[in-house]
Amino acid sequence: MQNFTPPGGWGVILHFLHENRLAIQGALTAFFIALLFSIWDGEGWKRSLNAGFICGFVALAVVSLFDQLGVADMDWSFVIGAAVGGAGVDRCRSLINAAVTIFASKKGIN
């Protein structure tokens, strides 16, 4: 049986979405949870969208890391997205700052 590739650029786009569906699922989960929690806390729309995007990118990185480590055999993307989005943007930012500080101090960078 042959694979059917739709005409135009849709075949490439659909293939990309299928190959990266777990990372996209985790990022979207984190985005919407962070967005809704920020709105619930009374933040403005711009700050809520920024929080959603930051948490989405962090979840995308963590899901991709899990994929590189070989843990992607199980679908952890929804759990990772929910954990990152639920933790919120402030905790994600402080965790990233701590990781960069530790990395810089080990490399001798001020």
Side-chain angles (χ1 to χ4, degrees), residues 63-87:
V63 171
S64 298
L65 174 69
F66 270 46
D67 185 37
Q68 291 296 316
L69 294 176
V71 187
D73 296 337
M74 296 172 54
D75 185 12
W76 286 99
S77 62
F78 183 75
V79 174
I80 293 169
V84 170

Side-chain angles (χ1 to χ4, degrees), residues 33 36 42 45 47 53 57 63 68 72 93 97:
I33 289 177
L36 293 175
W45 278 101
R47 185 164 172 84
F53 281 125
F57 287 131
V63 171
Q68 291 296 316
R93 239 185 317 209
N97 285 338

